Amino acid sequence: MAAVMSVENPHAEDWPRSAVTGFERIASHVIDTSDGRSMGYAPLVTVDQLADFEDYAYNYFLNVRDPPFAEEDIVNSFGRGVWGVNSNGRYRETDGNTTYNTLNRIFAPVLQHNLGNKILMMNWHYEETRGSMIDAMMSCAEKRAQHNNESIRCSFITDFIILNGGAKTP
């Protein structure tokens, strides 16, 4: 799927504003050829890029995607934005901090998912299970770039994770 994303968005300046038309359909077909159940796409977003990315994402969800999502199905009680989950439910993420020790102050918000809108804008980097894999992938990609060696594989798979996205807070 990474190849599809990079072919659809080949220029560095396209990122993280990088939705792919028909992602849900493509992902569903890819899943049918594997043992998977769902597939999502989460571009890496820096703290400085966050506001622009959020504007882009909600414009895509509400105006570009066909069919568009209804606003009430994608906006949380705190409003629009990237979110994490704690004991109180969903909360807005703004600073790139995590629940574990990482050097990367970034976000990995779900921009597209084959199951639709249930976890859109959830930050996959905020907690250790997914975040440490993202950190390892970033480290591997830096090594591959330093050595100019595309044969270095930077794919990682986490243990089984239930993607319930946390309860929507009233």
Side-chain angles (χ1 to χ4, degrees):
M1 189 54 87
V4 171
M5 305 314 280
S6 65
V7 167
E8 286 293 312
N9 298 285
H11 308 290
E13 62 271 11
D14 294 341
W15 295 84
R17 300 164 56 104
S18 51
V20 170
T21 302
F23 176 86
E24 292 90 347
R25 183 170 173 239
I26 294 166
S28 292
H29 287 288
V30 171
I31 290 166
D32 286 344
T33 66
S34 71
D35 198 19
R37 294 190 179 125
S38 64
M39 185 176 294
Y41 163 58
L44 302 180
V45 179
T46 66
V47 174
D48 292 341
Q49 295 170 321
L50 184 61
D52 181 64
F53 174 79
E54 289 173 335
D55 289 344
Y56 166 80
Y58 283 95
N59 181 61
Y60 174 78
F61 300 150
L62 298 169
N63 301 308
V64 177
R65 185 183 181 277
D66 186 25
F69 290 120
E71 182 148 354
E72 61 270 12
D73 291 336
I74 58 169
V75 175
N76 290 287
S77 60
F78 58 76
R80 295 178 177 187
V82 172
W83 54 275
V85 179
N86 62 23
S87 60
N88 297 317
R90 293 181 182 189
Y91 66 92
R92 177 108 194 258
E93 294 245 346
T94 58
D95 59 10
N97 287 331
T98 64
T99 61
Y100 70 102
N101 187 19
T102 180
L103 299 176
N104 298 309
R105 293 216 20 223
I106 60 162
F107 307 91
V110 178
L111 181 60
Q112 295 179 285
H113 198 278
N114 75 298
L115 298 179
N117 64 350
K118 293 180 181 181
I119 61 168
L120 293 179
M121 301 300 279
M122 179 183 185
N123 179 17
W124 282 358
H125 189 254
Y126 84 99
E127 56 84 31
E128 189 170 7
T129 304
R130 295 176 192 95
S132 62
M133 291 295 153
I134 293 167
D135 292 338
M137 195 169 14
M138 290 173 64
S139 177
C140 179
E142 288 172 9
K143 179 180 173 185
R144 180 171 59 188
Q146 287 172 352
H147 292 73
N148 196 24
N149 183 351
E150 290 194 25
S151 68
I152 297 173
R153 297 290 181 190
C154 297
S155 300
F156 295 86
I157 298 175
T158 63
D159 290 336
F160 180 74
I161 301 169
I162 296 174
L163 292 176
N164 64 12
K168 250 189 166 177
T169 54

